Amino acid sequence: MSFAANAVRRVATAEAVPVLKRSFNTSVPKMGNNPHEGPFVHAKHMYDLPNMPNRTLKWGLGIFGGVATGFGIPIFACWFQFTKAQG
């Protein structure tokens, strides 16, 4: 058989290949049962800082961590450069 005859035979006996299609899903899922709630269920209590448990501890640790990082990184960088320069 010739090459063309083999090609025709392969095409004739091949099964139908399903067509794959890629697409974007642009619909927005519904977040809650109440349409007036918004996307977050806990949004009413999210910024209730006076009733936050252990507020002084959490804010104190956060502020101390930020200040310590702000001072600690440049001090470590200077120390590292000085130790490299000593050779």
Side-chain angles (χ1 to χ4, degrees):
M1 281 185 142
S2 68
F3 177 75
N6 281 335
V8 169
R9 184 181 50 82
R10 273 186 267 136
V11 170
T13 59
E15 295 178 8
V17 178
V19 177
L20 300 177
K21 181 181 176 184
R22 292 184 180 182
S23 62
F24 291 105
N25 186 7
T26 58
S27 63
V28 178
K30 188 177 178 184
M31 293 295 182
N33 293 332
N34 187 0
H36 303 292
E37 270 185 355
F40 299 107
V41 177
H42 65 282
K44 296 174 188 173
H45 308 290
M46 190 173 4
Y47 299 113
D48 191 13
L49 295 180
N51 293 329
M52 184 169 124
N54 297 325
R55 181 183 58 176
T56 55
L57 175 68
K58 291 176 184 175
W59 281 89
L61 286 175
I63 291 172
F64 176 75
V67 170
T69 303
F71 280 106
I73 290 175
I75 290 171
F76 175 75
C78 292
W79 172 81
F80 184 72
Q81 290 295 324
F82 287 145
T83 55
K84 271 180 38 178
Q86 287 177 354

